[in-house]
Amino acid sequence: GNSVTQMEGPVTLSEEAFLTINCTYTATGYPSLFWYVQYPGEGLQLLLKATKADDKGSNKGFEATYRKETTSFHLEKGSVQVSDSAVYFCALLLSGGYNKLIFGAGTRLAVHP
Amino acid sequence: DAGITQSPRYKITETGRQVTLMCHQTWSHSYMFWYRQDLGHGLRLIYYSAAADITDKGEVPDGYVVSRSKTENFPLTLESATRSQTSVYFCASSGTGTVGNTIYFGEGSWLTVV
């Protein structure tokens, strides 16, 4: 079936460290891929997205590249800040599937000064 | 303000009671969704709707009922709440089209069933 697998958290980093959160997916067809971020006590916000293979989504210093050959969409940031502390969700959207998002379990990131 | 709003934001109820969580969006989006968020499970789809009067089950629909008489509203009802339904509930919406379409989320409703 269709699914998303994320690396387990929590991920704990010092400020200005490099961040990678791994995400792999299983899907029929050609899904669109998303990263959402959830700050404490809030709903989910779209962070970035990619709609086809080799697309790179980017926003607020975060990047992720849609790798069809490895079915991956890893999230990266070169220098994290304390304000990046949140839960990050990888998700896929199947084409022709009523816009239903399938989420990974989420990865909690904690950044310390 | 435009957007998607949920109410109540926080609710404590007793086992066996009926509870309705409200969701309202001002974008006239066709699609609306209800997800629940539980530790270790990410977000799981409860019900979704492609348009007014069109609803369908998601991954975990048991114990829930939805309706969509108007495009902008998509209430979720727990007919007889159980402790396993203690969760954070998120409503979401998106426009038509599927490729790369963005889904927008409300701020969540924290429900505790005691």
Side-chain angles (χ1 to χ4, degrees):
Chain A
N2 303 299
S3 65
V4 176
T5 303
Q6 291 181 234
M7 62 187 290
E8 287 192 24
V11 174
T12 303
L13 295 173
S14 298
E15 206 165 24
E16 299 183 1
F18 185 84
L19 168 71
T20 300
I21 300 178
N22 291 338
C23 170
T24 58
Y25 67 90
T26 301
T28 54
Y30 302 96
S32 297
L33 300 173
F34 301 79
W35 277 100
Y36 279 83
V37 58
Q38 184 181 30
Y39 298 103
E42 298 183 10
L44 278 73
Q45 302 173 26
L46 178 67
L47 182 59
L48 53 85
K49 67 181 183 182
T51 59
K52 60 183 187 297
D54 300 325
D55 267 4
K56 178 185 281 188
S58 61
N59 186 27
K60 298 181 182 180
F62 291 90
E63 292 183 341
T65 301
Y66 188 161
R67 302 285 188 201
K68 188 169 181 290
E69 63 276 12
T70 55
T71 62
S72 65
F73 194 54
H74 305 321
L75 182 68
E76 296 181 337
K77 186 175 185 183
S79 176
V80 293
Q81 305 300 312
V82 172
S83 57
D84 293 327
S85 298
V87 180
Y88 293 82
F89 292 92
C90 185
L92 67 84
L93 181 69
L94 297 170
S95 57
Y98 283 104
N99 281 12
K100 287 184 291 181
L101 277 173
I102 297 171
F103 285 90
T107 303
R108 182 174 299 278
L109 170 66
V111 181
H112 298 289
Chain B
D1 288 341
I4 184 165
T5 55
Q6 295 182 229
S7 62
R9 293 291 313 281
Y10 304 93
K11 175 78 175 178
I12 301 174
T13 192
E14 294 177 340
T15 300
R17 292 208 181 248
Q18 183 179 83
V19 176
T20 296
L21 306 180
M22 304 300 294
C23 179
H24 176 79
Q25 52 101 357
T26 59
W27 292 302
S28 297
H29 281 166
S30 296
Y31 294 100
M32 294 189 76
F33 311 85
W34 276 106
Y35 287 86
R36 60 177 288 173
Q37 182 180 23
D38 304 290
L39 196 63
H41 291 281
L43 278 82
R44 293 180 291 176
L45 183 64
I46 304 171
Y47 268 95
Y48 63 99
S49 169
D53 297 322
I54 300 175
T55 62
D56 208 346
K57 295 178 181 179
E59 184 185 357
V60 289
D62 293 343
Y64 303 95
V65 174
V66 294
S67 62
R68 190 147 177 229
S69 57
K70 294 184 179 181
T71 300
E72 62 267 29
N73 297 325
F74 191 40
L76 176 74
T77 297
L78 289 66
E79 293 190 302
S80 178
T82 65
R83 287 183 182 155
S84 65
Q85 293 177 309
T86 292
S87 187
V88 184
Y89 292 86
F90 287 99
C91 181
S93 72
S94 71
T96 54
T98 57
V99 177
N101 211 15
T102 298
I103 295 176
Y104 298 92
F105 285 80
E107 292 188 327
S109 293
W110 272 253
L111 177 67
T112 301
V113 183
V114 298

